[in-house]
Amino acid sequence: MHCVNNFFGIFQPNCIILAVSPANQDLATSDAIKISREVDPKGERTFGVLTKIDLMDKGTDAVDILEGRAYRLQFPWIGVVNRSQQDINKSVDMIAARRRERDYFANTPEYKHLAHRMGSEHLAKSLSKHLESVIKSRIPGLQSLITKTVAELETELTRLGKPIANDAGGKLYTIMEICRMFDGIYKEHLDGVRPGGEKIYHVFDNQFPVAIKRLQFDKQLSMENVRKLITEADGYQPHLIAPEQGYRRLIESCLVSIRGPAEAAVDTVHGILKELVHKAINETH
């Protein structure tokens, strides 16, 4: 059995199967027929080819097979008579072999009525005609596949951006253009032209003030606590205007309380800025 490509190609739906069997062998034991049944049960792409018709025993013929009664295929069986080993040894050319083949079918009484669709030339024409019809039927699908592939490649090219120059100056210019584009997009995010920058405003206008208001400054700045801190810090040292060390400790204690909400606000803003950087990178083409 042969295929347009190779043996494994018979599993492809576009492949034409030539189920070649010798006429002097029982079709029931033909490997070609057995395999073609498995891969092409409807016989839509199988061409039965019967060889060695001229070598059959006297009194027997292959008419039942060629007329489709012994084993029916969607396409009629085609008989061929190839060159014998003796013809090959004598270097009989293909033109003479084809002429002898035509004469055989035309002059043999059993096959005379089938001669118009027998022979290697008819087999070649039948295969060409079938191949042409297969190609025509596949063209719409191929066009659709090509269109889809082109669209996917154009999308990929658009995503990759403009071509990069090969020289060092061109590469540097491309890099600078990308950096300028990134810088502009990043600023647009921060300025509110693009989404994302408003989250930073929310941190300083809402999150941080709310956290500061939760601190107990009224307790920390009570007269009793202030007096205690000043007394412990300055003791009996004289001052001209105000107890300096006491004020310092009072301010430091307040700053320690603010540190937690301030660091939380900084971490939040840092996370937002990193997110905006990733967005700007993805939007830079």
Side-chain angles (χ1 to χ4, degrees):
M1 182 170 55
H2 302 277
C3 176
V4 173
N5 293 316
N6 52 47
F7 176 79
F8 296 102
I10 65 174
F11 295 97
Q12 301 298 324
N14 294 338
C15 179
I16 298 175
I17 301 173
L18 291 184
V20 181
S21 299
N24 55 1
Q25 177 184 326
D26 186 5
L27 284 183
T29 61
S30 171
D31 291 336
I33 295 299
K34 180 181 179 181
I35 297 175
S36 65
R37 278 179 178 173
E38 294 176 358
V39 299
D40 182 33
K42 295 182 179 179
E44 296 175 345
R45 52 193 180 92
T46 300
F47 282 79
V49 180
L50 205 62
T51 64
K52 300 182 180 181
I53 296 177
D54 55 328
L55 301 181
M56 296 183 71
D57 295 335
K58 289 185 178 181
T60 61
D61 58 63
V63 175
D64 284 347
I65 299 175
L66 295 175
E67 290 184 347
R69 291 192 295 271
Y71 185 85
R72 188 172 185 82
L73 293 174
Q74 182 170 326
F75 301 101
W77 281 83
I78 299 175
V80 296
V81 175
N82 296 320
R83 289 184 300 173
S84 64
Q85 187 60 48
Q86 185 178 2
D87 292 335
I88 296 173
N89 295 338
K90 291 181 178 180
S91 300
V92 175
D93 59 36
M94 295 302 298
I95 296 177
R98 295 288 77 83
R99 186 186 308 114
R100 185 182 299 176
E101 182 183 43
R102 288 195 299 271
D103 292 341
Y104 175 81
F105 285 111
N107 298 321
T108 302
E110 292 85 357
Y111 308 119
K112 196 171 184 179
H113 66 292
L114 300 172
H116 64 284
R117 60 177 183 84
M118 294 291 116
S120 301
E121 293 178 352
H122 178 74
L123 174 61
K125 291 179 181 178
S126 298
L127 292 176
S128 297
K129 186 177 180 180
H130 180 71
L131 183 60
E132 181 181 351
S133 66
V134 170
I135 292 174
K136 287 182 178 179
S137 67
R138 296 292 188 272
I139 286 177
L142 290 174
Q143 288 177 330
S144 177
L145 178 61
I146 291 172
T147 302
K148 180 183 177 182
T149 305
V150 169
E152 290 175 351
L153 290 176
E154 288 178 346
T155 302
E156 181 68 11
L157 288 174
T158 302
R159 187 185 68 80
L160 293 175
K162 297 178 180 179
I164 299 176
N166 294 324
D167 59 292
K171 291 180 179 179
L172 180 60
Y173 174 79
T174 301
I175 293 172
M176 294 302 296
E177 281 293 305
I178 294 173
C179 290
R180 277 193 288 269
M181 189 178 298
F182 167 80
D183 181 63
I185 294 173
Y186 189 63
K187 286 181 178 178
E188 288 181 358
H189 278 293
L190 293 177
D191 295 339
V193 178
R194 295 174 185 249
E198 72 281 354
K199 295 180 181 179
I200 299 176
Y201 176 81
H202 176 76
V203 172
F204 291 113
D205 189 60
N206 191 331
Q207 179 179 323
F208 186 55
V210 169
I212 293 296
K213 289 177 181 179
R214 289 175 182 169
L215 298 177
Q216 299 179 352
F217 282 120
D218 54 342
K219 185 176 181 180
Q220 196 165 6
L221 297 176
S222 65
M223 290 303 296
E224 181 182 351
N225 193 46
V226 171
R227 187 181 298 109
K228 179 182 178 183
L229 283 173
I230 292 174
T231 302
E232 290 176 353
D234 289 273
Y236 296 101
Q237 296 179 19
H239 344 275
L240 293 175
I241 301 175
E244 180 182 347
Q245 291 297 327
Y247 283 157
R248 285 181 179 276
R249 288 195 179 182
L250 183 63
I251 294 172
E252 287 174 359
S253 66
C254 291
L255 290 177
V256 169
S257 300
I258 297 174
R259 183 174 180 176
E263 289 182 346
V266 170
D267 290 340
T268 303
V269 171
H270 180 250
I272 294 172
L273 291 176
K274 286 174 61 177
E275 181 183 344
L276 294 181
V277 168
H278 288 298
K279 281 187 177 181
I281 290 175
N282 293 331
E283 294 168 4
T284 301
H285 300 288

